[in-house]
Amino acid sequence: RHVLGSQWAPRAVHFEHPRPECWHEHCKVFDAPVYFEQPFNSLLIPKRGLNRAMPDSDSVLLMVMQDSLNQISSLCGRGERDMVNDVREQIRQRLLYGEPALEEVAELLGMTSWSLQRRLREQGLSFSQLVDNVRRELANRYLREPQLPISQLALLL
């Protein structure tokens, strides 16, 4: 509504959670039909609104969001979980808060640090190699973004 005007409304809203008692409030807020217990959360919006420029856009946030969406997309549809990609994803997320720790990543993946090291070794990798590789990939990606100042690049890495 900030971009398209106060009268804009989605075509429909879908929520995964059950319908609450005061579900009519949802309809008033969105000014659209609201459906509960759906397979996924979503806003159905008309295509014509997608070409409008977003005021006060943040190119750094856009890159972070695109990267996250690409990662989520790559995880969807795979049958067997790829442990190395899971480790890389956890490293990517932990980099936002500082140096990734092997123990923390192993715990998040439901294994011991010893087990994680062994499984990485079986793939010919080490945890520190993966951290370096993820940093290098992110640095290369961010350097290709002309609107991203070097000072922000340093913070992102």
Side-chain angles (χ1 to χ4, degrees), residues 13-15 22 31 39 41 44-45 55 61 70 72-73 75 85 91 94 101 105 108 124 126 128 143 147 153:
V13 179
H14 293 190
F15 286 114
C22 55
D31 192 23
N41 295 317
L44 295 159
I45 60 174
L61 181 59
N70 287 335
I72 291 168
S73 176
L75 294 174
N85 283 338
I91 290 170
R94 303 279 80 70
V105 170
L108 289 166
S126 72
S128 60
L143 283 170
Q147 75 275 15
L153 173 93

Side-chain angles (χ1 to χ4, degrees), residues 74-128:
S74 70
L75 294 174
C76 294
R78 41 182 208 171
E80 183 179 312
R81 301 212 30 100
D82 182 359
M83 191 267 312
V84 173
N85 283 338
D86 291 344
V87 172
R88 292 168 58 77
E89 174 59 25
Q90 289 301 323
I91 290 170
R92 205 176 276 114
Q93 290 177 17
R94 303 279 80 70
L95 280 171
L96 295 171
Y97 306 104
E99 186 69 22
L102 171 70
E103 295 77 16
E104 184 180 5
V105 170
E107 184 179 329
L108 289 166
L109 296 175
M111 60 181 82
T112 64
S113 57
W114 175 84
S115 180
L116 177 57
Q117 285 177 315
R118 180 181 49 79
R119 291 184 65 186
L120 288 173
R121 237 186 344 268
E122 290 170 359
Q123 301 292 321
L125 297 166
S126 72
F127 185 76
S128 60

